[in-house]
């Protein structure tokens, strides 16, 4: 307890060092001013009159600097509200139901050269599913629930349209914004990108205006949600007084794998139906009703490294079936990408006290070398109140929890989202933010850090500050189940370790 108090005192003193120095200086100047006489004021006024040109130039320079700062600084980007898609109850699937879907998919595959009930493959899928961290209330698309499962293009389109339209209808209902007021539209979906594009589908469905700036981002993985936010932010800095709409989703029907490659089977056990729609604004008047203000976005791409580029890759297996292969290196690659990302984000958000400690250990390591094995890991909890770590899988959450030195409550939103909704890809960070709001934990001034990891390999971050005590939006996905979370899940540690070693999460 003494060490904790000492560290808190250290953070307070160093963070407020300049304010603490300013107080005695202000007191000194106030004391000097109180001793000024009328004669002193007369001499000061006379000095100004004899140097009127200097005074005018100084005033003009100061005024010009202030005007230039106001005109050139980026306008704030506000998050008015967002909506997470909640599928209908009949799409809810338990672990046993998911196993039945796997069985039906394999049974429907007439080109299979092995028995559809191959015990080793099904047993592998069952073990992965049971240790994935997913619960019995996640959602599957209608096409895969049908018997036999429908992996058609029409079924894929139906799934994505239901998710996107469902999320947007709730968002427009909650914000009372007319769709024709939207000036910027960004839609991201990695696996399913039809023609016309998904952004065109949104324009057609909601009759958006003809001069809208619309974009569809494809193939960018689970981190594309932050990429879409970053793109919308840049566009809002250019186009004044407008709304930007961001839609993040993924298609499960299109991405399901029906082959025998175990590295490709894993994704079947993790991904579930989900999506989110986010309304951003740069209108000054929207600050009063907005939930958050965007502070920072940082994007890190490690694709120049071959191992990083290939650790999550779509392709054909030995029998020509398409799937997404998850390499055993994915955990290490994610850790490397995270370190590079926080190396850029850290100086933007960390207080002076943490920067100073890192600098001291950095210099000490350079001088002492072998005597100091590791750099100081900054305590991000002094700068961030809430963490929304992409619910990519139990192993991913474990790695980030350890790397950032987080406590169980810091990753509670991520684990609960993984259990309740599964890996919904780029939209998972929004289900996590909704969880924090539903728990009543988001207070005015709190900062939330969304961390997204995805193929490429990419690690992207977005930091938001709450503009009020944020309450859960109407029709929150956690509305009817928040009291049941968090849940405790017990795993067989010996079997779990085997999956980690094999790159399975």
């Amino acid at each position: 307890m003494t060490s904790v108090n000492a560290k808190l005192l250290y953070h307070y003193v160093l963070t407020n060092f300049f304010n603490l120095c300013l107080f005695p200086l202000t007191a000194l100047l106030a004391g000097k001013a109180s001793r000024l006489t009328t004669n002193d004021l007369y001499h000061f006024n006379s000095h100004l009159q004899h140097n009127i040109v200097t005074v005018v130039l100084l005033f003009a320079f100061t005024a010009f600097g202030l005007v230039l700062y106001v005109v050139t600084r980026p306008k704030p980007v506000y998050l008015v509200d967002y909506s997470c898609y909640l599928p209908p109850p009949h799409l809810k699937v338990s672990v046993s139901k998911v196993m039945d879907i796997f069985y039906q998919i394999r049974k429907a595959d007439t080109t299979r050269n092995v028995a559809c009930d191959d015990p080793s493959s099904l047993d592998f899928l069952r073990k992965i599913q049971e240790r994935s961290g997913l619960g019995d209330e996640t959602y599957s698309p209608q096409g895969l629930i049908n018997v036999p499962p429908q992996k058609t293009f029409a079924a894929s389109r139906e799934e994505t349209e239901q998710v996107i339209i469902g999320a947007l209808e709730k968002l427009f209902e909650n914000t009372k914004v007319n769709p024709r007021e939207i000036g910027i539209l960004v839609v991201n979906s990695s696996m399913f990108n039809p023609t016309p594009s998904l952004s065109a589908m949104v324009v057609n469905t909601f009759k958006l205006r003809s001069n809208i700036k619309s974009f569809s981002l494809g193939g960018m993985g689970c981190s594309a949600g932050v990429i879409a936010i970053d793109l919308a932010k840049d566009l809002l800095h250019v186009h004044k007084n407008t709304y930007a709409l961001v839609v993040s989703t993924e298609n499960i029907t299109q991405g399901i794998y029906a082959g025998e490659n175990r590295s490709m089977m894993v994704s079947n056990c993790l991904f579930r139906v989900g999506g989110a729609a986010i309304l951003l604004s740069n209108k000054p008047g929207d600050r009063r009703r907005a939930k958050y203000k965007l502070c920072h976005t940082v994007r890190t791409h490690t694709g120049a490294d071959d191992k990083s580029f290939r650790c999550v890759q779509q392709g054909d297996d030995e029998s020509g079936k398409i799937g997404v292969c998850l390499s055993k290196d994915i955990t290490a690659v994610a850790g490397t990408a995270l370190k590079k990302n926080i190396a850029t984000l850290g100086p933007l958000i960390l207080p002076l006290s943490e920067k100073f400690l890192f600098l001291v250990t950095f210099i000490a390591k350079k001088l002492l070398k072998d005597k100091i094995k590791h750099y100081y890991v900054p305590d991000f909890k002094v700068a961030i109140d809430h963490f929304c770590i992409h619910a990519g899988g139990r192993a991913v959450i474990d790695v980030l929890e350890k790397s950032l030195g987080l406590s169980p409550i810091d990753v509670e939103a991520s684990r609960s989202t993984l259990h309740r909704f599964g890996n919904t890809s780029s939209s998972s960070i929004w289900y996590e933010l909704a969880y924090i709001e539903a728990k009543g934990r988001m207070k005015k001034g709190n900062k939330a850090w969304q961390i997204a990891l995805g193929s490429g390999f990419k690690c992207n971050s977005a930091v938001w500050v709450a503009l009020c005590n944020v309450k859960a939006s109407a029709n929150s996905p956690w509305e009817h189940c928040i009291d049941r979370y968090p849940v405790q899940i017990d795993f067989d540690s010996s079997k779990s370790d085997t999956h980690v070693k094999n790159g399975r999460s």
Side-chain angles (χ1 to χ4, degrees):
M1 182 61 71
T2 303
S3 61
V4 173
N5 291 335
K7 188 170 184 179
L8 289 174
L9 178 62
Y10 162 75
H11 282 304
Y12 177 80
V13 171
L14 208 59
T15 303
N16 298 279
F17 180 77
F18 293 107
N19 291 334
L20 295 174
C21 293
L22 185 62
F23 179 76
L25 181 61
T26 304
L28 179 64
L29 292 176
K32 292 284 187 182
S34 64
R35 291 194 293 270
L36 291 176
T37 64
T38 306
N39 190 43
D40 293 330
L41 295 176
Y42 173 78
H43 283 298
F44 181 70
N45 183 56
S46 177
H47 178 75
L48 291 179
Q49 289 178 351
H50 285 87
N51 295 275
I52 190 67
V53 176
T54 303
V55 173
V56 171
L57 288 176
L58 182 61
F59 177 79
F61 180 78
T62 303
F64 175 77
L66 289 173
V67 171
L68 187 65
Y69 170 75
V70 172
V71 172
T72 58
R73 69 170 181 170
K75 299 298 181 182
V77 173
Y78 301 112
L79 193 163
V80 180
D81 205 350
Y82 65 97
S83 173
C84 297
Y85 176 67
L86 182 64
H90 72 272
L91 296 182
K92 193 176 293 185
V93 290
S94 62
V95 172
S96 60
K97 177 64 176 178
V98 170
M99 289 304 303
D100 185 56
I101 291 174
F102 293 159
Y103 178 83
Q104 293 296 333
I105 290 174
R106 295 159 67 83
K107 183 178 179 181
D109 184 7
T110 57
T111 66
R112 187 175 300 281
N113 295 321
V114 296
C116 64
D117 57 348
D118 177 27
S120 63
S121 293
L122 289 175
D123 186 56
F124 171 77
L125 286 170
R126 183 178 293 105
K127 289 179 180 179
I128 292 294
Q129 184 65 47
E130 291 173 350
R131 291 162 178 78
S132 64
L134 278 69
D136 285 330
E137 295 185 295
T138 59
Y139 297 91
S140 175
Q142 182 64 58
L144 299 185
I145 293 179
N146 293 339
V147 181
Q150 297 176 345
K151 292 180 56 183
T152 63
F153 186 89
S156 299
R157 179 184 288 277
E158 181 182 5
E159 176 199 341
T160 294
E161 288 183 352
Q162 285 180 349
V163 172
I164 291 178
I165 294 173
L168 285 173
E169 285 178 343
K170 287 184 180 179
L171 181 65
F172 288 134
E173 179 183 349
N174 291 345
T175 59
K176 309 302 180 186
V177 169
N178 187 327
R180 293 191 64 82
E181 296 181 68
I182 305 299
I184 298 165
L185 172 64
V186 184
V187 181
N188 70 268
S189 173
S190 187
M191 302 291 290
F192 184 64
N193 293 280
T195 300
S197 66
L198 296 179
S199 60
M201 182 270 290
V202 174
V203 172
N204 176 260
T205 302
F206 294 94
K207 309 306 176 188
L208 304 185
R209 64 198 199 199
S210 60
N211 64 340
I212 191 169
K213 308 295 185 294
S214 63
F215 303 85
S216 286
L217 306 181
M220 304 194 77
C222 299
S223 66
V226 176
I227 297 175
I229 292 292
D230 184 62
L231 174 58
K233 177 199 71 174
D234 290 343
L235 292 168
L236 285 171
H237 286 164
V238 176
H239 302 280
K240 307 302 180 183
N241 201 42
T242 190
Y243 287 113
L245 191 61
V246 174
V247 182
S248 296
T249 189
E250 189 51 272
N251 190 280
I252 312 304
T253 306
Q254 186 81 0
I256 200 73
Y257 172 68
E260 294 293 326
N261 187 309
R262 294 193 175 187
S263 294
M264 293 181 172
M265 289 181 186
V266 177
S267 61
N268 289 352
C269 303
L270 298 175
F271 287 95
R272 298 291 188 271
V273 171
I278 303 97
L279 182 65
L280 304 176
S281 172
N282 59 10
K283 299 182 179 183
D286 280 327
R287 190 186 193 284
R288 294 190 300 273
R289 67 167 181 155
K291 286 186 170 184
Y292 305 94
K293 182 176 76 171
L294 182 60
C295 296
H296 306 286
T297 54
V298 173
R299 293 167 55 181
T300 302
H301 203 311
T302 61
D305 176 72
D306 289 342
K307 184 186 292 185
S308 297
F309 176 72
R310 294 191 175 94
C311 72
V312 181
Q313 193 167 29
Q314 185 182 25
D316 297 326
D317 67 4
E318 299 79 4
S319 59
K321 296 180 178 62
I322 298 176
V324 176
C325 179
L326 302 182
S327 164
K328 64 181 180 179
D329 300 317
I330 187 171
T331 303
V333 167
T336 300
L338 174 67
K339 289 178 182 178
K340 293 184 177 182
N341 187 266
I342 63 179
T344 303
L345 182 65
L348 299 176
I349 63 174
L350 287 173
L352 181 62
S353 56
E354 287 298 307
K355 296 177 186 177
F356 179 72
L357 285 176
F358 179 81
L359 178 62
V360 169
T361 56
F362 178 81
I363 295 174
K365 183 170 174 58
K366 290 295 184 182
L367 296 176
L368 302 177
K369 295 183 179 179
D370 296 336
K371 292 184 178 181
I372 299 179
K373 295 183 178 180
H374 303 288
Y375 291 115
Y376 172 73
V377 179
D379 183 4
F380 281 89
K381 290 188 285 186
V382 301
I384 299 296
D385 302 284
H386 306 286
F387 296 83
C388 300
I389 299 171
H390 166 54
R394 189 165 60 90
V396 173
I397 299 174
D398 289 344
V399 167
L400 268 68
E401 179 183 9
K402 182 179 179 181
S403 300
L404 297 174
L406 304 180
S407 62
I409 194 171
D410 294 321
V411 295
E412 181 183 309
S414 300
R415 295 196 190 281
S416 297
T417 296
L418 181 65
H419 183 271
R420 176 66 180 84
F421 296 100
N423 181 354
T424 60
S425 190
S426 57
S427 64
S428 69
I429 53 177
W430 297 104
Y431 286 89
E432 293 162 16
L433 192 62
Y435 178 90
I436 296 169
E437 293 176 2
K439 283 290 186 181
R441 297 173 182 170
M442 189 64 71
K443 306 301 180 183
K444 183 177 181 179
N446 281 182
K447 288 185 177 179
W449 180 9
Q450 293 179 320
I451 312 171
L453 300 164
S455 59
F457 193 85
K458 299 180 285 292
C459 177
N460 302 318
S461 294
V463 178
W464 306 85
V465 59
L467 299 176
C468 57
N469 293 336
V470 182
K471 297 180 180 179
S473 301
N475 300 311
S476 167
W478 298 96
E479 195 170 50
H480 304 295
C481 63
I482 191 63
D483 293 336
R484 293 191 275 115
Y485 283 87
V487 296
Q488 297 296 325
I489 307 175
D490 294 325
F491 298 99
D492 185 325
S493 59
S494 62
K495 293 179 181 179
S496 177
D497 289 342
T498 300
H499 289 302
V500 172
K501 291 178 182 178
N502 291 334
R504 311 292 187 238
S505 58

